[in-house]
């Protein structure tokens, strides 16, 4: 754990020319939340982060967003007016942190506001390395070969990918090192430069420690990147509980397939003791999958597992009914089964959950069932709520 104070500068004042459209990309909503808030939320949750200089194009607009979303760490945020270039905006954020004279502030982290995924372990590694070496940066292996071209667009040389890496954020620096480097910047560097690690190398003589980060350090640059962001954010926010009265091949297969696709998977086999969840000390889940060996009593089911649900996150309640083992479905029309599913969806609205009911008539379609459940979990919970599916 970090034992010293850390400040953060998040530049989020860009116009997003490559992204296109009239709305800067940092304000685009992903799963109902402005993009820049994912980075802000993450850093604000770290207890050793003392202050975040959030550099934006419109302070009033961002302040209103923070108020409307009920941002819980508002005391950690200092809104700073962005300037004309990336380096000038970062310098403005650093200057605000300097004015605050924060006690024990040894390291400052710079992170782009349009990079929503921030691994905790990587941030800790970078801060520790910066505290020892003066600077540290996250990198990734190059995917494409980089070519050097002439002014008239003819090939001059091809770089060896094995000796080059892609610079990413977050980056971390001793606070005094980065502020001193910006004090020595030329006007040309402030106007055209983008790389903080290069600044401390050029002006302070400090070679940054480079740490290879995971593949999800990418930056949202083009509109197509939003689709990847939605999928990745939904995965890291999805905590799933599978409940079944007995062990089955479908339950085991579902758990195995979900492990790599969601943040948490818990499997409960047997009678659920929901009383243990009422003290709020147990893990809660935004998605719950129930395997039924009998028809659903809606009121009882709500009481049985409502305490497991994280009602602050959207998610799904998926009821899987094994009709191959029961006779309940034979007495109901398809219309009544659909109506029953929609009624349950209405009941769960107050818990911010969608509801899907799956009736399995053929007991030998485990993989198809697993594939369907995973598709439902990865989709927007509002897309399929109230729907009833049948496996014959």
């Amino acid at each position: 754990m970090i034992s010293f104070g850390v400040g953060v500068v998040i530049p989020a004042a860009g116009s997003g020319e490559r992204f296109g459209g009239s709305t800067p990309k940092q304000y685009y909503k992903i799963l109902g939340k402005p993009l820049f808030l994912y980075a802000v939320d993450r850093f604000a949750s770290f207890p050793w982060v003392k202050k975040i200089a959030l550099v934006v194009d419109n302070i009033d607009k961002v302040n209103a967003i923070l108020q409307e979303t009920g941002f819980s760490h508002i005391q950690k945020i200092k809104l700073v007016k962005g300037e004309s270039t990336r380096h000038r905006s970062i310098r403005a954020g650093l200057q605000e942190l300097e004015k605050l004279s924060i006690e024990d502030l040894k390291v400052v982290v710079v992170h782009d506001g349009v990079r929503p995924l921030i691994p905790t372990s990587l941030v800790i590694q970078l801060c520790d390395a910066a505290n020892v070496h003066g600077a540290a940066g996250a990198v990734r292996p190059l995917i494409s070969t980089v070519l050097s071209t002439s002014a008239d667009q003819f090939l001059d040389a091809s770089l060896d990918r094995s000796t080059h890496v892609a610079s990413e954020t977050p980056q971390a620096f001793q606070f005094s090192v980065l502020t001193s480097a910006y004090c020595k910047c030329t006007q040309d560097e402030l106007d055209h430069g983008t790389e903080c690690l290069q600044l401390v190398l050029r002006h302070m003589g400090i070679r940054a420690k480079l740490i290879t980060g995971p593949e999800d350090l990418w930056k949202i640059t083009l509109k197509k990147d939003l689709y990847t962001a939605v999928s990745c954010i939904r995965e890291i926010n999805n905590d799933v509980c599978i409940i079944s009265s007995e062990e089955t091949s479908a339950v085991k297969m579902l758990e195995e397939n979900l492990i790599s696709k969601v943040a948490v998977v818990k499997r409960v086999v047997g009678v659920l003791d929901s009383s243990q969840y009422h003290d709020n000390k147990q893990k809660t889940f935004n998605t719950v999958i129930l395997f039924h060996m009998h028809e659903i009593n809606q009121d009882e089911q709500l009481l049985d597992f409502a305490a497991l649900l994280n009602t602050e996150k959207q998610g799904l309640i998926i009821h899987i009914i094994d009709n191959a083992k029961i006779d309940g479905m034979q007495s109901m029309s398809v219309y009544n089964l659909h109506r029953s599913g929609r009624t349950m969806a209405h009941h769960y609205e107050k818990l911010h959950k969608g509801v899907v009911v799956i009736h399995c008539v053929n007991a030998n379609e485990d993989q198809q069932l697993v594939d369907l459940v995973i598709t439902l979990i990865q989709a927007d919970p509002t897309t399929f709520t109230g729907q009833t599916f049948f496996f014959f």
Side-chain angles (χ1 to χ4, degrees), residues 144-157:
S144 300
T145 299
V146 179
L147 304 179
S148 176
T149 64
S150 62
D152 55 354
Q153 292 296 295
F154 282 90
L155 176 65
D156 276 345

Side-chain angles (χ1 to χ4, degrees), residues 62-235:
V62 173
N63 188 53
I65 290 172
L66 294 176
Q67 298 296 332
E68 290 169 4
T69 56
F71 183 71
S72 58
H73 298 280
I74 196 71
Q75 74 282 357
K76 284 192 175 185
I77 305 300
K78 175 64 177 178
L79 296 180
V80 182
K81 177 64 178 176
E83 299 192 17
S84 57
T85 66
R86 174 181 170 81
H87 270 333
R88 290 186 184 276
S89 288
I90 293 173
R91 184 180 65 172
L94 287 170
Q95 290 171 342
E96 286 298 323
L97 291 180
E98 275 189 302
K99 291 177 186 177
L100 295 172
S101 300
I102 303 168
E103 186 179 353
D104 194 34
L105 184 59
K106 291 187 177 181
V107 167
V108 61
V109 174
V110 176
H111 184 73
D112 296 319
V114 290
R115 295 178 186 261
L117 305 181
I118 305 167
T120 301
S121 59
L122 177 64
V123 177
I124 292 174
Q125 282 182 281
L126 290 168
C127 289
D128 281 335
N131 190 44
V132 173
H133 303 289
V139 296
R140 286 289 302 160
L142 289 176
I143 297 175
S144 300
T145 299
V146 179
L147 304 179
S148 176
T149 64
S150 62
D152 55 354
Q153 292 296 295
F154 282 90
L155 176 65
D156 276 345
S158 174
L159 300 184
D160 181 359
R161 280 191 301 177
S162 66
T163 61
H164 294 78
V165 291
S167 179
E168 312 286 353
T169 68
Q171 296 175 349
F173 308 84
Q174 289 179 9
F175 188 63
S176 59
V177 166
L178 190 58
T179 54
S180 297
Y182 269 101
C183 287
K184 297 178 180 180
C185 270
T186 65
Q187 293 300 311
D188 184 68
E189 286 174 320
L190 290 173
D191 287 337
H192 303 291
T194 58
E195 179 56 74
C196 295
L197 298 177
Q198 176 64 20
L199 284 185
V200 299
L201 176 61
R202 178 178 298 167
H203 297 294
M204 306 301 294
I206 291 177
R207 298 171 64 234
K209 174 68 174 178
L210 303 181
I211 298 173
T212 301
E215 62 182 16
D216 54 8
L217 291 180
W218 43 265
K219 176 181 179 182
I220 293 180
T221 303
L222 306 173
K223 280 192 175 178
K224 66 179 182 179
D225 298 331
L226 289 175
Y227 299 104
T228 304
V230 169
S231 177
C232 291
I233 291 171
R234 184 172 281 124
E235 284 184 7

